[in-house]
Amino acid sequence: MTQIGSNIKKLRTVKGLSQQAFADLFNLTRGNISSYEEFRAEPKISVILQMAKYFGIPISSLLEKKLTVNEILNFEDYFKEGSEKVNTKNLLEVPFLSKSYIQENPENFEINDFPTFYMPNIYNANLLAIENNSLIPNPIDFNFEESSILFFEKVKVEILHTLQDNIGFYMNLNEIFFGRFHVDGKEIKLILNDWKEKKFQLNEIEHFWKLHSKYEKVH
């Protein structure tokens, strides 16, 4: 079990927020917050990411530590270089393809070179996080906000039957694009537009990803 429930309650107390006021920040209900604080449930990863970003708290600390008042009020100083390393044993390391990385490495998409961050290991999936931006070609019906973070899971044989009409991502060492999967019998294609598509082959399965979830900034 993580420390997220205790830390939500501590954050509310320090920031002077009621359960309802805290819930309103993240499009939740007062009942949601109550269940988190009483350890009857835990937030979805998309909600945890929103909380971490909103309060400027590292995700690993929000999950692993029992935060103190001083830590909440002084995160810039507390999480300086050389501070105590957080135990990442129960966290999932996720590669992150950002706009700045693409600008610096326009034709070198080696996933092992991507920066990474940690998130709760509550999904049995191999994930890749991508910052949506104009440098990645996408279909005409790709309705995601600029700079939203999209999480993709690596395609496996076991999920091929779920791909139809789902958003996908293709990546090899020098090419990337978002597309939509089309399944016709045993033929699977990731289609960008009328002129560009990639036919799925089992020997190239590591290049194909399926949309898993998304994170968008709370306005």
Side-chain angles (χ1 to χ4, degrees):
M1 182 177 292
T2 71
Q3 300 298 327
I4 187 70
S6 296
N7 288 334
I8 287 174
K9 188 172 184 178
K10 182 60 70 67
L11 278 166
R12 281 202 309 103
T13 302
V14 173
K15 301 296 184 179
L17 298 170
S18 66
Q19 287 186 335
Q20 186 61 60
F22 192 96
D24 290 343
L25 292 174
F26 307 105
N27 295 321
L28 300 170
T29 67
R30 189 201 63 76
N32 290 144
I33 305 305
S34 176
S35 65
Y36 301 155
E37 294 183 356
E38 295 171 9
F39 298 99
R40 291 183 283 111
E42 290 196 346
K44 295 180 180 179
I45 179 56
S46 58
V47 175
I48 294 173
L49 288 169
Q50 289 173 7
M51 291 179 181
K53 186 176 181 67
Y54 186 89
F55 292 108
I57 299 174
I59 296 173
S60 54
S61 298
L62 190 60
L63 292 167
E64 294 283 294
K65 293 176 62 69
K66 284 191 175 181
L67 301 175
T68 67
V69 174
N70 285 340
E71 288 170 356
I72 291 172
L73 296 176
N74 298 283
F75 265 104
E76 279 191 14
D77 294 331
Y78 185 81
F79 291 104
K80 62 186 179 182
E81 184 176 355
S83 60
E84 181 182 358
K85 292 185 177 179
V86 177
N87 179 12
T88 59
K89 179 180 178 181
N90 297 318
L91 299 177
L92 178 67
E93 187 174 12
V94 180
F96 179 44
L97 180 59
S98 64
K99 182 177 182 178
S100 60
Y101 182 93
I102 297 173
Q103 289 172 328
E104 295 170 4
N105 305 274
E107 294 185 350
N108 181 25
F109 303 113
E110 173 53 60
I111 193 169
N112 292 328
D113 294 336
F114 293 176
T116 61
F117 63 88
Y118 291 93
M119 60 187 287
N121 192 9
I122 59 177
Y123 301 112
N124 184 23
N126 189 344
L127 299 182
L128 167 66
I130 304 172
E131 180 184 6
N132 181 36
N133 64 85
S134 58
L135 299 178
I136 306 177
N138 59 71
I140 193 170
D141 60 347
F142 195 72
N143 298 318
F144 296 97
E145 291 186 11
E146 182 85 3
S147 298
S148 61
I149 307 300
L150 306 178
F151 290 87
F152 287 80
E153 63 175 309
K154 183 170 285 188
V155 169
K156 300 182 294 185
V157 172
E158 292 80 2
I159 68 169
L160 293 181
H161 66 286
T162 70
L163 297 181
Q164 176 65 18
D165 288 332
N166 276 286
I167 293 294
F169 180 67
Y170 178 83
M171 177 177 66
N172 65 22
L173 288 177
N174 53 25
E175 181 182 16
I176 54 175
F177 70 88
F178 295 118
R180 189 174 291 276
F181 283 108
H182 176 74
V183 181
D184 183 8
K186 291 187 176 180
E187 182 178 78
I188 302 173
K189 296 178 181 178
L190 183 63
I191 300 174
L192 171 62
N193 52 40
D194 290 340
W195 302 276
K196 185 175 180 62
E197 62 184 38
K198 286 290 182 181
K199 186 175 180 179
F200 176 83
Q201 303 285 353
L202 275 179
N203 62 350
E204 295 182 343
I205 195 169
E206 71 275 8
H207 300 310
F208 291 86
W209 301 75
K210 174 190 174 185
L211 183 65
H212 181 279
S213 54
K214 68 176 180 177
Y215 161 63
E216 292 180 342
K217 184 177 180 180
V218 176
H219 296 290

mmCIF file of all heavy atoms in Angstrom, residues 65-96:
data_model
loop_
_atom_site.group_PDB
_atom_site.id
_atom_site.type_symbol
_atom_site.label_atom_id
_atom_site.label_comp_id
_atom_site.label_asym_id
_atom_site.label_seq_id
_atom_site.Cartn_x
_atom_site.Cartn_y
_atom_site.Cartn_z
ATOM 1 N N LYS A 65 6.642 8.335 0.620
ATOM 2 C CA LYS A 65 6.989 8.979 1.887
ATOM 3 C C LYS A 65 5.744 9.438 2.629
ATOM 4 O O LYS A 65 4.739 9.754 2.024
ATOM 5 C CB LYS A 65 7.874 10.211 1.638
ATOM 6 C CG LYS A 65 9.250 9.907 1.092
ATOM 7 C CD LYS A 65 10.006 11.192 0.793
ATOM 8 C CE LYS A 65 10.227 12.035 2.043
ATOM 9 N NZ LYS A 65 11.184 11.413 2.973
ATOM 10 N N LYS A 66 5.836 9.474 3.963
ATOM 11 C CA LYS A 66 4.839 10.188 4.753
ATOM 12 C C LYS A 66 5.319 11.621 4.869
ATOM 13 O O LYS A 66 6.226 11.932 5.648
ATOM 14 C CB LYS A 66 4.686 9.544 6.134
ATOM 15 C CG LYS A 66 3.893 8.253 6.120
ATOM 16 C CD LYS A 66 3.550 7.790 7.524
ATOM 17 C CE LYS A 66 2.659 6.552 7.483
ATOM 18 N NZ LYS A 66 2.280 6.098 8.849
ATOM 19 N N LEU A 67 4.746 12.502 4.064
ATOM 20 C CA LEU A 67 5.240 13.867 3.964
ATOM 21 C C LEU A 67 5.008 14.642 5.258
ATOM 22 O O LEU A 67 3.974 14.504 5.905
ATOM 23 C CB LEU A 67 4.558 14.590 2.813
ATOM 24 C CG LEU A 67 4.744 13.960 1.417
ATOM 25 C CD1 LEU A 67 3.911 14.710 0.394
ATOM 26 C CD2 LEU A 67 6.201 13.950 1.021
ATOM 27 N N THR A 68 5.978 15.485 5.600
ATOM 28 C CA THR A 68 5.839 16.370 6.747
ATOM 29 C C THR A 68 5.418 17.750 6.265
ATOM 30 O O THR A 68 5.504 18.071 5.072
ATOM 31 C CB THR A 68 7.165 16.494 7.512
ATOM 32 O OG1 THR A 68 8.117 17.177 6.679
ATOM 33 C CG2 THR A 68 7.717 15.118 7.891
ATOM 34 N N VAL A 69 4.980 18.584 7.193
ATOM 35 C CA VAL A 69 4.586 19.948 6.850
ATOM 36 C C VAL A 69 5.759 20.700 6.239
ATOM 37 O O VAL A 69 5.619 21.402 5.224
ATOM 38 C CB VAL A 69 4.072 20.692 8.100
ATOM 39 C CG1 VAL A 69 3.811 22.165 7.766
ATOM 40 C CG2 VAL A 69 2.807 20.037 8.631
ATOM 41 N N ASN A 70 6.928 20.566 6.829
ATOM 42 C CA ASN A 70 8.100 21.270 6.318
ATOM 43 C C ASN A 70 8.444 20.834 4.901
ATOM 44 O O ASN A 70 8.836 21.658 4.058
ATOM 45 C CB ASN A 70 9.304 21.027 7.234
ATOM 46 C CG ASN A 70 9.209 21.827 8.512
ATOM 47 O OD1 ASN A 70 8.473 22.811 8.590
ATOM 48 N ND2 ASN A 70 9.939 21.412 9.535
ATOM 49 N N GLU A 71 8.299 19.542 4.617
ATOM 50 C CA GLU A 71 8.601 19.056 3.272
ATOM 51 C C GLU A 71 7.610 19.633 2.264
ATOM 52 O O GLU A 71 7.997 20.056 1.173
ATOM 53 C CB GLU A 71 8.559 17.529 3.252
ATOM 54 C CG GLU A 71 9.747 16.891 3.964
ATOM 55 C CD GLU A 71 9.579 15.391 4.154
ATOM 56 O OE1 GLU A 71 8.508 14.857 3.803
ATOM 57 O OE2 GLU A 71 10.520 14.771 4.655
ATOM 58 N N ILE A 72 6.345 19.674 2.615
ATOM 59 C CA ILE A 72 5.324 20.209 1.714
ATOM 60 C C ILE A 72 5.574 21.682 1.411
ATOM 61 O O ILE A 72 5.408 22.136 0.279
ATOM 62 C CB ILE A 72 3.923 20.016 2.317
ATOM 63 C CG1 ILE A 72 3.566 18.522 2.324
ATOM 64 C CG2 ILE A 72 2.872 20.804 1.541
ATOM 65 C CD1 ILE A 72 2.293 18.200 3.071
ATOM 66 N N LEU A 73 6.000 22.423 2.417
ATOM 67 C CA LEU A 73 6.213 23.856 2.252
ATOM 68 C C LEU A 73 7.569 24.195 1.643
ATOM 69 O O LEU A 73 7.784 25.312 1.190
ATOM 70 C CB LEU A 73 6.081 24.569 3.603
ATOM 71 C CG LEU A 73 4.693 24.511 4.246
ATOM 72 C CD1 LEU A 73 4.721 25.172 5.620
ATOM 73 C CD2 LEU A 73 3.647 25.173 3.352
ATOM 74 N N ASN A 74 8.482 23.244 1.621
ATOM 75 C CA ASN A 74 9.845 23.549 1.174
ATOM 76 C C ASN A 74 10.382 22.510 0.200
ATOM 77 O O ASN A 74 11.524 22.078 0.308
ATOM 78 C CB ASN A 74 10.798 23.633 2.382
ATOM 79 C CG ASN A 74 10.416 24.738 3.341
ATOM 80 O OD1 ASN A 74 10.673 25.903 3.085
ATOM 81 N ND2 ASN A 74 9.786 24.365 4.439
ATOM 82 N N PHE A 75 9.577 22.106 -0.767
ATOM 83 C CA PHE A 75 10.018 21.064 -1.677
ATOM 84 C C PHE A 75 11.209 21.474 -2.525
ATOM 85 O O PHE A 75 12.067 20.675 -2.836
ATOM 86 C CB PHE A 75 8.870 20.604 -2.577
ATOM 87 C CG PHE A 75 8.183 19.396 -2.036
ATOM 88 C CD1 PHE A 75 6.945 19.510 -1.431
ATOM 89 C CD2 PHE A 75 8.789 18.155 -2.093
ATOM 90 C CE1 PHE A 75 6.312 18.401 -0.901
ATOM 91 C CE2 PHE A 75 8.162 17.038 -1.570
ATOM 92 C CZ PHE A 75 6.929 17.157 -0.976
ATOM 93 N N GLU A 76 11.302 22.743 -2.917
ATOM 94 C CA GLU A 76 12.427 23.158 -3.755
ATOM 95 C C GLU A 76 13.740 22.918 -3.042
ATOM 96 O O GLU A 76 14.720 22.481 -3.629
ATOM 97 C CB GLU A 76 12.301 24.639 -4.131
ATOM 98 C CG GLU A 76 11.360 24.860 -5.297
ATOM 99 C CD GLU A 76 11.476 26.275 -5.814
ATOM 100 O OE1 GLU A 76 12.454 26.961 -5.455
ATOM 101 O OE2 GLU A 76 10.598 26.690 -6.571
ATOM 102 N N ASP A 77 13.770 23.217 -1.736
ATOM 103 C CA ASP A 77 15.000 23.009 -0.980
ATOM 104 C C ASP A 77 15.175 21.547 -0.603
ATOM 105 O O ASP A 77 16.279 21.014 -0.626
ATOM 106 C CB ASP A 77 14.983 23.858 0.298
ATOM 107 C CG ASP A 77 15.014 25.334 -0.017
ATOM 108 O OD1 ASP A 77 15.584 25.685 -1.065
ATOM 109 O OD2 ASP A 77 14.473 26.128 0.773
ATOM 110 N N TYR A 78 14.081 20.906 -0.266
ATOM 111 C CA TYR A 78 14.201 19.550 0.258
ATOM 112 C C TYR A 78 14.661 18.557 -0.797
ATOM 113 O O TYR A 78 15.467 17.680 -0.534
ATOM 114 C CB TYR A 78 12.850 19.084 0.821
ATOM 115 C CG TYR A 78 12.939 17.727 1.483
ATOM 116 C CD1 TYR A 78 13.421 17.598 2.778
ATOM 117 C CD2 TYR A 78 12.552 16.588 0.801
ATOM 118 C CE1 TYR A 78 13.529 16.363 3.379
ATOM 119 C CE2 TYR A 78 12.660 15.342 1.400
ATOM 120 C CZ TYR A 78 13.143 15.235 2.690
ATOM 121 O OH TYR A 78 13.240 14.004 3.269
ATOM 122 N N PHE A 79 14.193 18.731 -2.043
ATOM 123 C CA PHE A 79 14.524 17.774 -3.077
ATOM 124 C C PHE A 79 15.686 18.258 -3.948
ATOM 125 O O PHE A 79 15.721 18.023 -5.139
ATOM 126 C CB PHE A 79 13.298 17.471 -3.938
ATOM 127 C CG PHE A 79 12.266 16.708 -3.175
ATOM 128 C CD1 PHE A 79 11.133 17.337 -2.708
ATOM 129 C CD2 PHE A 79 12.442 15.372 -2.896
ATOM 130 C CE1 PHE A 79 10.185 16.635 -1.986
ATOM 131 C CE2 PHE A 79 11.508 14.659 -2.176
ATOM 132 C CZ PHE A 79 10.372 15.293 -1.718
ATOM 133 N N LYS A 80 16.634 18.934 -3.332
ATOM 134 C CA LYS A 80 17.826 19.348 -4.054
ATOM 135 C C LYS A 80 18.738 18.152 -4.248
ATOM 136 O O LYS A 80 18.587 17.106 -3.624
ATOM 137 C CB LYS A 80 18.555 20.455 -3.283
ATOM 138 C CG LYS A 80 19.056 20.015 -1.914
ATOM 139 C CD LYS A 80 19.639 21.184 -1.156
ATOM 140 C CE LYS A 80 20.112 20.747 0.237
ATOM 141 N NZ LYS A 80 20.650 21.851 1.020
ATOM 142 N N GLU A 81 19.716 18.297 -5.118
ATOM 143 C CA GLU A 81 20.656 17.221 -5.391
ATOM 144 C C GLU A 81 21.343 16.801 -4.100
ATOM 145 O O GLU A 81 21.792 17.617 -3.309
ATOM 146 C CB GLU A 81 21.690 17.687 -6.419
ATOM 147 C CG GLU A 81 22.655 16.590 -6.844
ATOM 148 C CD GLU A 81 23.596 17.067 -7.918
ATOM 149 O OE1 GLU A 81 23.433 18.199 -8.389
ATOM 150 O OE2 GLU A 81 24.498 16.299 -8.277
ATOM 151 N N GLY A 82 21.423 15.501 -3.890
ATOM 152 C CA GLY A 82 22.089 15.002 -2.694
ATOM 153 C C GLY A 82 21.130 14.630 -1.595
ATOM 154 O O GLY A 82 21.525 14.059 -0.587
ATOM 155 N N SER A 83 19.823 14.953 -1.762
ATOM 156 C CA SER A 83 18.861 14.553 -0.755
ATOM 157 C C SER A 83 18.669 13.050 -0.816
ATOM 158 O O SER A 83 19.064 12.379 -1.762
ATOM 159 C CB SER A 83 17.541 15.280 -0.958
ATOM 160 O OG SER A 83 17.001 14.979 -2.222
ATOM 161 N N GLU A 84 18.025 12.513 0.192
ATOM 162 C CA GLU A 84 17.876 11.073 0.315
ATOM 163 C C GLU A 84 17.179 10.485 -0.907
ATOM 164 O O GLU A 84 16.169 10.975 -1.370
ATOM 165 C CB GLU A 84 17.043 10.757 1.557
ATOM 166 C CG GLU A 84 16.848 9.272 1.792
ATOM 167 C CD GLU A 84 15.987 9.024 3.003
ATOM 168 O OE1 GLU A 84 15.592 10.008 3.641
ATOM 169 O OE2 GLU A 84 15.715 7.857 3.297
ATOM 170 N N LYS A 85 17.729 9.392 -1.446
ATOM 171 C CA LYS A 85 17.129 8.755 -2.595
ATOM 172 C C LYS A 85 15.888 7.979 -2.175
ATOM 173 O O LYS A 85 15.837 7.354 -1.140
ATOM 174 C CB LYS A 85 18.138 7.805 -3.270
ATOM 175 C CG LYS A 85 19.300 8.519 -3.940
ATOM 176 C CD LYS A 85 20.176 7.555 -4.677
ATOM 177 C CE LYS A 85 21.303 8.283 -5.410
ATOM 178 N NZ LYS A 85 22.186 7.347 -6.126
ATOM 179 N N VAL A 86 14.882 8.035 -3.041
ATOM 180 C CA VAL A 86 13.628 7.358 -2.746
ATOM 181 C C VAL A 86 13.697 5.909 -3.207
ATOM 182 O O VAL A 86 14.248 5.603 -4.261
ATOM 183 C CB VAL A 86 12.461 8.079 -3.463
ATOM 184 C CG1 VAL A 86 11.153 7.341 -3.227
ATOM 185 C CG2 VAL A 86 12.368 9.514 -2.981
ATOM 186 N N ASN A 87 13.137 5.012 -2.423
ATOM 187 C CA ASN A 87 13.100 3.607 -2.783
ATOM 188 C C ASN A 87 12.136 3.409 -3.948
ATOM 189 O O ASN A 87 10.941 3.675 -3.834
ATOM 190 C CB ASN A 87 12.653 2.776 -1.578
ATOM 191 C CG ASN A 87 12.571 1.298 -1.903
ATOM 192 O OD1 ASN A 87 13.052 0.851 -2.940
ATOM 193 N ND2 ASN A 87 11.974 0.542 -1.007
ATOM 194 N N THR A 88 12.650 2.942 -5.079
ATOM 195 C CA THR A 88 11.820 2.769 -6.269
ATOM 196 C C THR A 88 11.471 1.303 -6.516
ATOM 197 O O THR A 88 11.030 0.942 -7.606
ATOM 198 C CB THR A 88 12.547 3.329 -7.515
ATOM 199 O OG1 THR A 88 13.808 2.637 -7.666
ATOM 200 C CG2 THR A 88 12.807 4.811 -7.371
ATOM 201 N N LYS A 89 11.632 0.480 -5.512
ATOM 202 C CA LYS A 89 11.417 -0.958 -5.661
ATOM 203 C C LYS A 89 10.035 -1.281 -6.208
ATOM 204 O O LYS A 89 9.875 -2.167 -7.053
ATOM 205 C CB LYS A 89 11.632 -1.647 -4.318
ATOM 206 C CG LYS A 89 11.419 -3.154 -4.351
ATOM 207 C CD LYS A 89 11.640 -3.764 -2.989
ATOM 208 C CE LYS A 89 11.381 -5.260 -2.998
ATOM 209 N NZ LYS A 89 11.574 -5.867 -1.648
ATOM 210 N N ASN A 90 9.006 -0.603 -5.720
ATOM 211 C CA ASN A 90 7.635 -0.908 -6.112
ATOM 212 C C ASN A 90 7.083 0.054 -7.159
ATOM 213 O O ASN A 90 5.872 0.125 -7.355
ATOM 214 C CB ASN A 90 6.733 -0.896 -4.877
ATOM 215 C CG ASN A 90 7.122 -1.962 -3.884
ATOM 216 O OD1 ASN A 90 7.420 -3.091 -4.261
ATOM 217 N ND2 ASN A 90 7.142 -1.601 -2.603
ATOM 218 N N LEU A 91 7.975 0.800 -7.817
ATOM 219 C CA LEU A 91 7.552 1.758 -8.834
ATOM 220 C C LEU A 91 7.975 1.293 -10.223
ATOM 221 O O LEU A 91 8.941 0.549 -10.383
ATOM 222 C CB LEU A 91 8.134 3.137 -8.548
ATOM 223 C CG LEU A 91 7.715 3.772 -7.224
ATOM 224 C CD1 LEU A 91 8.423 5.105 -7.033
ATOM 225 C CD2 LEU A 91 6.208 3.962 -7.162
ATOM 226 N N LEU A 92 7.238 1.733 -11.221
ATOM 227 C CA LEU A 92 7.521 1.382 -12.604
ATOM 228 C C LEU A 92 8.302 2.499 -13.277
ATOM 229 O O LEU A 92 7.902 3.662 -13.228
ATOM 230 C CB LEU A 92 6.198 1.152 -13.345
ATOM 231 C CG LEU A 92 6.283 0.807 -14.838
ATOM 232 C CD1 LEU A 92 6.923 -0.566 -15.019
ATOM 233 C CD2 LEU A 92 4.889 0.827 -15.461
ATOM 234 N N GLU A 93 9.420 2.173 -13.885
ATOM 235 C CA GLU A 93 10.225 3.158 -14.605
ATOM 236 C C GLU A 93 9.666 3.313 -16.023
ATOM 237 O O GLU A 93 9.553 2.331 -16.763
ATOM 238 C CB GLU A 93 11.685 2.727 -14.652
ATOM 239 C CG GLU A 93 12.610 3.786 -15.250
ATOM 240 C CD GLU A 93 14.072 3.394 -15.158
ATOM 241 O OE1 GLU A 93 14.350 2.224 -14.853
ATOM 242 O OE2 GLU A 93 14.934 4.266 -15.392
ATOM 243 N N VAL A 94 9.314 4.553 -16.374
ATOM 244 C CA VAL A 94 8.651 4.804 -17.663
ATOM 245 C C VAL A 94 9.512 5.725 -18.521
ATOM 246 O O VAL A 94 9.806 6.856 -18.113
ATOM 247 C CB VAL A 94 7.269 5.447 -17.445
ATOM 248 C CG1 VAL A 94 6.592 5.705 -18.787
ATOM 249 C CG2 VAL A 94 6.393 4.567 -16.564
ATOM 250 N N PRO A 95 9.930 5.289 -19.718
ATOM 251 C CA PRO A 95 10.651 6.174 -20.641
ATOM 252 C C PRO A 95 9.729 7.306 -21.083
ATOM 253 O O PRO A 95 8.517 7.115 -21.243
ATOM 254 C CB PRO A 95 10.996 5.259 -21.818
ATOM 255 C CG PRO A 95 10.852 3.864 -21.300
ATOM 256 C CD PRO A 95 9.786 3.918 -20.251
ATOM 257 N N PHE A 96 10.302 8.502 -21.290
ATOM 258 C CA PHE A 96 9.516 9.682 -21.634
ATOM 259 C C PHE A 96 10.078 10.348 -22.880
ATOM 260 O O PHE A 96 11.215 10.829 -22.894
ATOM 261 C CB PHE A 96 9.519 10.659 -20.466
ATOM 262 C CG PHE A 96 8.751 11.930 -20.724
ATOM 263 C CD1 PHE A 96 7.512 11.909 -21.331
ATOM 264 C CD2 PHE A 96 9.284 13.163 -20.351
ATOM 265 C CE1 PHE A 96 6.797 13.077 -21.564
ATOM 266 C CE2 PHE A 96 8.587 14.339 -20.574
ATOM 267 C CZ PHE A 96 7.340 14.293 -21.182
#
